[in-house]
Amino acid sequence: MDGEADGTVGMSEDCGPGRRRRVHGMLKLYYGLNEEGKAAEEPESLDPCDINGPHFDPELYLNKLRRECSLAELMDQETCMVKQIRSLDSDMQTLVYENYNKFISATDTIRKMKNDFKKMEDEMDCLSANMAAITEFSASISGTLQDQHTQITKLSGVHTLLRKLQFLFELPARLNKCLELQAYAQAVSSHRRARCVLQQYSHLPSFKGIQDDCHAIMDKLAQELRQKFRDGGSSAKDLSECVELLLQLDEPAEELCDKFLSHARSRLESDLQGLEAEIRPYPSASAVKDASARRLSSTTGAGSLTNNSPKTNTLPSPTSNTDILEFIDRGCNEFVSSLCLVITSYQELFINHAQTGELASKNIPQMANAKLHVFVDDLAARYFSLVERRIQEEKGVGDNSLLVRALDRFHRRLQAVAKLLPGSTVPNKGTEIVIRAATERVKQYLSALQSFYMDSLTDVRQALATPRLSVAGASVAGGGSLLGGPASGRDAPTSLPELLSSLSASILNQIKSVLASVHLFTAKDITFSNKPYFKGEFCSQGVRESLVVSFIKFVCQSSRQFCESAGDKGGSTPPALLLLLSRLCLDYETSTISYILTLTDEQFLVQVQGLIISQMLRKSVETRDWVNTIEPRNVRAVMKRVVEDTTSIDVQVGLLYEEGVRKAHSSDSSKRTFSVYSSSRQQARYAASYTPSAPMDTNLLSNIHKLFSERIDIFSSVEFNKVSVMTGIIKISLKTFLECVRLRTFGRYGLQQIQVDCHYLQMYLWRFVSDENLVHFLLDEIVGSSAHRCLDPAPMEQSVIEVICERG
């Protein structure tokens, strides 16, 4: 009773969810269950003294306790065991009280299940008896109807045969009906169903007659399908059905492909003939000679140095009825569009159409694709020939916009052929035409510049041959009017310096005009201008080398020839002309050549990549508050973008240029550290000797160090190799970074962020340049310049910088 009272009190005091979980846990432990309610797979304990084990022996357990424990410990053990017994009793009572309703419900369920199972057993016995009766009755029926079943099977076979014979005898009439209704697919399907049977029994006269009638009808049907195929006026779906039916009628696939391409060729050739009619024939040899004679006679007269239009040897050949843009538009809208339509229709009929049955084993798509490539290449070659002939008629070097727009439209429309017919050589050959046209245009401009220069020298010689000439304002014996009387339009004699200035200005203006015309080839809205196979080669080799540099060489070569002819016996070169040419060449050497090449580089994007990265770095410096910035925890995203863009540029340049030569790299190239005092390596060594009362002038030490450092020419000439190009881009970018830093004020964390960014750039940029010391020097200058402009210069530990950069 005491135990019950204690258990009741305990239950009333602790009946929360925590106690319930503890009780359930103890019961699971007692019954050896895990969390899922299954018996825990634990090895059974064989120890007889294990009170929770199945082999527990009370006598041995008590003897062990008496032997090992003192009296006080025995008393404690007894007390503890009594408490556990009472606790278990209480828990058992609690479980009974809590689960009383469940026990009652389980008892009722078990009683009901017993009644249900008894009823189910009776029903199963009844069902078994019924199944036995049904089986016996079915066997009796099968035995009775066995003979009739055999007769029914024979009759069914005869009925099926009669239906087949009926289909065969009605087949000619059925085919004629389909032919009248133009149900060609149904006719072919019916004939294919009966073809094998008719072939198998063709030795019988009746079947032979049916076969002959069907062949005649199908020949007529095939003729109509061929006519429909040749007409080509049907829709794509009808043509596809027509081709499929002809293939099912054993029409040779190659013959169908040839017929389709032959019909398409006739239409496309008519388009080519229309284009060819717009191209006039080349001028005859006599016309060329007459044109040359007229040009030579026209150059004997006096000319004006102020005329900036190029003087070319344009042939007087008859021009086309339409301009180049209209010609290309017509070719694209008629021939190229029709060709794309033919390719699409042909692929739908013979290549992309799913083949089934016997047709799938004939490899029709492979054969058809090969024929299509030959067909397209043949017609495209003729079209390209006409385009090149028309481009060659564009001999004038005036307005370049029509030619560029025409080439752009030509290149753009050919990309459709590349998408429709992968692997075709048509787009590549079209691109070659664009490149050749641009290159030929550059040659024409070079010839025009050379002609203009020689005509200008002719004008100078005529001016020097006048009876009066003033040199620097003084009269010279035998001097005269520069351009000869009233033709010059000037009353006072022209001085030699003015003559030189006029000549130099006219040539320079002519070069600028030519560069502006050629620059249209690289406009942003021109599709081929951004292609790597055009842009890099055209800008560097085509414009810079083949045009500008070649013209400068021509000027030098022609001047040298004047000097050599003056030394010959009977030479006619005036000394004043040699004097003027010598001064012109000297001016070119000192300033003009550099100006022209810089102008060319700027217009044709030789420095554009360095400027793009420079702009990115400039914005990243100018848009940040470097005084109040937070402590750096990672590399800024713009630095990662700079490294990514530089790597991408390196890959692109490597596709066009050779590697180049670079100095040997040191083993710790990516682990270099930076001083916060602008490259003053020795300053840290001496800084400790200075006290706050006598601070060291860090700017002075920095300037002294710069005196003994190698000067870096940021905008030095770039050679045509990958290392030189990448070195120029990185120099421009880091120089911009340095100049932007010099315009800002930094706090402690701003300086530390610059340290982190520069170390990250050093880890990657050194491998792109010809000399790693160049990158290290510029980055050291950036960090040092930041330190000089820092309000609280406390640099970050190098180990911390390395961790941040490696993590970034």
CSV table of all heavy atoms in Angstrom, one decimal, residues 623-641:
chain,number,residue,atom,x,y,z
A,623,THR,N,35.1,56.0,-57.6
A,623,THR,CA,33.8,55.8,-57.0
A,623,THR,C,33.8,55.2,-55.6
A,623,THR,O,32.8,54.9,-55.0
A,623,THR,CB,32.9,54.9,-57.9
A,623,THR,OG1,33.6,53.7,-58.0
A,623,THR,CG2,32.7,55.5,-59.2
A,624,ARG,N,35.0,55.2,-54.9
A,624,ARG,CA,35.1,54.6,-53.6
A,624,ARG,C,35.6,55.6,-52.6
A,624,ARG,O,36.4,56.4,-52.9
A,624,ARG,CB,36.0,53.4,-53.7
A,624,ARG,CG,36.0,52.5,-52.4
A,624,ARG,CD,37.0,51.4,-52.5
A,624,ARG,NE,37.0,50.5,-51.4
A,624,ARG,CZ,36.4,49.4,-51.3
A,624,ARG,NH1,35.6,49.0,-52.3
A,624,ARG,NH2,36.4,48.6,-50.2
A,625,ASP,N,35.0,55.5,-51.4
A,625,ASP,CA,35.4,56.4,-50.3
A,625,ASP,C,36.6,55.7,-49.6
A,625,ASP,O,36.4,54.8,-48.7
A,625,ASP,CB,34.3,56.6,-49.3
A,625,ASP,CG,34.7,57.6,-48.2
A,625,ASP,OD1,35.8,58.1,-48.2
A,625,ASP,OD2,33.9,57.8,-47.3
A,626,TRP,N,37.8,56.0,-49.9
A,626,TRP,CA,39.0,55.3,-49.4
A,626,TRP,C,39.4,55.7,-48.0
A,626,TRP,O,40.2,55.1,-47.3
A,626,TRP,CB,40.2,55.6,-50.3
A,626,TRP,CG,40.0,55.0,-51.7
A,626,TRP,CD1,39.6,55.6,-52.8
A,626,TRP,CD2,40.2,53.7,-52.0
A,626,TRP,NE1,39.5,54.8,-53.9
A,626,TRP,CE2,39.9,53.5,-53.4
A,626,TRP,CE3,40.7,52.5,-51.3
A,626,TRP,CZ2,40.0,52.3,-54.1
A,626,TRP,CZ3,40.8,51.3,-52.0
A,626,TRP,CH2,40.5,51.2,-53.4
A,627,VAL,N,38.8,56.8,-47.5
A,627,VAL,CA,39.1,57.3,-46.1
A,627,VAL,C,38.2,56.5,-45.1
A,627,VAL,O,38.7,56.0,-44.1
A,627,VAL,CB,38.8,58.8,-46.0
A,627,VAL,CG1,39.1,59.2,-44.5
A,627,VAL,CG2,39.8,59.5,-46.9
A,628,ASN,N,37.0,56.3,-45.4
A,628,ASN,CA,36.0,55.6,-44.5
A,628,ASN,C,35.7,54.2,-44.8
A,628,ASN,O,34.7,53.7,-44.4
A,628,ASN,CB,34.8,56.5,-44.4
A,628,ASN,CG,35.0,57.9,-43.9
A,628,ASN,OD1,35.8,58.1,-43.0
A,628,ASN,ND2,34.4,58.8,-44.6
A,629,THR,N,36.5,53.6,-45.6
A,629,THR,CA,36.2,52.2,-46.0
A,629,THR,C,36.4,51.2,-44.9
A,629,THR,O,37.1,51.5,-43.9
A,629,THR,CB,37.1,51.8,-47.2
A,629,THR,OG1,36.7,50.5,-47.7
A,629,THR,CG2,38.6,51.7,-46.8
A,630,ILE,N,35.8,50.0,-45.0
A,630,ILE,CA,35.9,49.0,-43.9
A,630,ILE,C,37.2,48.2,-44.1
A,630,ILE,O,37.9,48.3,-45.1
A,630,ILE,CB,34.7,48.1,-44.0
A,630,ILE,CG1,34.7,47.3,-45.3
A,630,ILE,CG2,33.5,48.9,-43.7
A,630,ILE,CD1,33.6,46.3,-45.3
A,631,GLU,N,37.6,47.5,-43.1
A,631,GLU,CA,38.8,46.7,-43.1
A,631,GLU,C,38.7,45.6,-44.2
A,631,GLU,O,37.6,44.9,-44.3
A,631,GLU,CB,39.0,46.0,-41.8
A,631,GLU,CG,40.3,45.2,-41.7
A,631,GLU,CD,40.6,44.6,-40.3
A,631,GLU,OE1,39.7,44.8,-39.4
A,631,GLU,OE2,41.6,44.0,-40.2
A,632,PRO,N,39.7,45.5,-45.1
A,632,PRO,CA,39.5,44.5,-46.2
A,632,PRO,C,39.5,43.1,-45.7
A,632,PRO,O,40.2,42.6,-44.9
A,632,PRO,CB,40.8,44.8,-47.0
A,632,PRO,CG,41.8,45.4,-46.1
A,632,PRO,CD,41.0,46.1,-45.1
A,633,ARG,N,38.6,42.3,-46.3
A,633,ARG,CA,38.4,40.9,-46.0
A,633,ARG,C,38.5,40.0,-47.3
A,633,ARG,O,38.6,38.8,-47.2
A,633,ARG,CB,37.0,40.6,-45.4
A,633,ARG,CG,37.0,41.1,-43.9
A,633,ARG,CD,37.8,40.3,-43.0
A,633,ARG,NE,37.8,40.7,-41.7
A,633,ARG,CZ,38.7,41.5,-41.1
A,633,ARG,NH1,39.6,42.0,-41.8
A,633,ARG,NH2,38.6,41.9,-39.8
A,634,ASN,N,38.5,40.7,-48.5
A,634,ASN,CA,38.7,39.9,-49.7
A,634,ASN,C,39.2,40.9,-50.8
A,634,ASN,O,39.3,42.1,-50.6
A,634,ASN,CB,37.3,39.3,-50.1
A,634,ASN,CG,36.2,40.3,-50.1
A,634,ASN,OD1,36.4,41.5,-50.4
A,634,ASN,ND2,35.0,39.8,-49.6
A,635,VAL,N,39.5,40.3,-51.9
A,635,VAL,CA,39.9,41.1,-53.1
A,635,VAL,C,38.7,41.7,-53.8
A,635,VAL,O,37.7,41.1,-53.9
A,635,VAL,CB,40.7,40.2,-54.1
A,635,VAL,CG1,41.2,41.0,-55.3
A,635,VAL,CG2,41.8,39.5,-53.4
A,636,ARG,N,38.9,43.0,-54.2
A,636,ARG,CA,37.7,43.6,-54.9
A,636,ARG,C,37.4,42.9,-56.2
A,636,ARG,O,38.3,42.4,-56.9
A,636,ARG,CB,38.1,45.1,-55.1
A,636,ARG,CG,38.1,45.9,-53.9
A,636,ARG,CD,38.1,47.4,-54.2
A,636,ARG,NE,39.4,47.8,-54.9
A,636,ARG,CZ,39.5,48.7,-55.8
A,636,ARG,NH1,38.4,49.5,-56.1
A,636,ARG,NH2,40.6,49.0,-56.4
A,637,ALA,N,36.1,42.9,-56.5
A,637,ALA,CA,35.6,42.2,-57.7
A,637,ALA,C,36.2,42.8,-59.0
A,637,ALA,O,36.5,42.1,-59.9
A,637,ALA,CB,34.1,42.3,-57.8
A,638,VAL,N,36.5,44.1,-59.0
A,638,VAL,CA,37.1,44.7,-60.2
A,638,VAL,C,38.5,44.1,-60.5
A,638,VAL,O,38.9,44.0,-61.7
A,638,VAL,CB,37.1,46.2,-60.1
A,638,VAL,CG1,38.1,46.6,-59.0
A,638,VAL,CG2,37.5,46.9,-61.4
A,639,MET,N,39.2,43.8,-59.5
A,639,MET,CA,40.6,43.2,-59.7
A,639,MET,C,40.4,41.8,-60.3
A,639,MET,O,41.2,41.4,-61.2
A,639,MET,CB,41.3,43.1,-58.4
A,639,MET,CG,41.6,44.5,-57.8
A,639,MET,SD,42.5,45.6,-59.0
A,639,MET,CE,42.2,47.2,-58.3
A,640,LYS,N,39.5,41.0,-59.9
A,640,LYS,CA,39.2,39.7,-60.5
A,640,LYS,C,38.8,39.9,-61.9
A,640,LYS,O,39.2,39.1,-62.8
A,640,LYS,CB,38.2,39.0,-59.7
A,640,LYS,CG,38.5,38.7,-58.2
A,640,LYS,CD,37.4,38.0,-57.5
A,640,LYS,CE,37.7,37.8,-56.0
A,640,LYS,NZ,36.6,37.1,-55.3
A,641,ARG,N,38.0,40.9,-62.2
A,641,ARG,CA,37.6,41.2,-63.6
A,641,ARG,C,38.8,41.6,-64.5
A,641,ARG,O,38.8,41.1,-65.6
A,641,ARG,CB,36.5,42.3,-63.6
A,641,ARG,CG,36.1,42.7,-65.0
A,641,ARG,CD,35.2,41.7,-65.6
A,641,ARG,NE,34.8,42.1,-67.0
A,641,ARG,CZ,33.8,42.8,-67.3
A,641,ARG,NH1,33.0,43.3,-66.3
A,641,ARG,NH2,33.5,43.2,-68.5
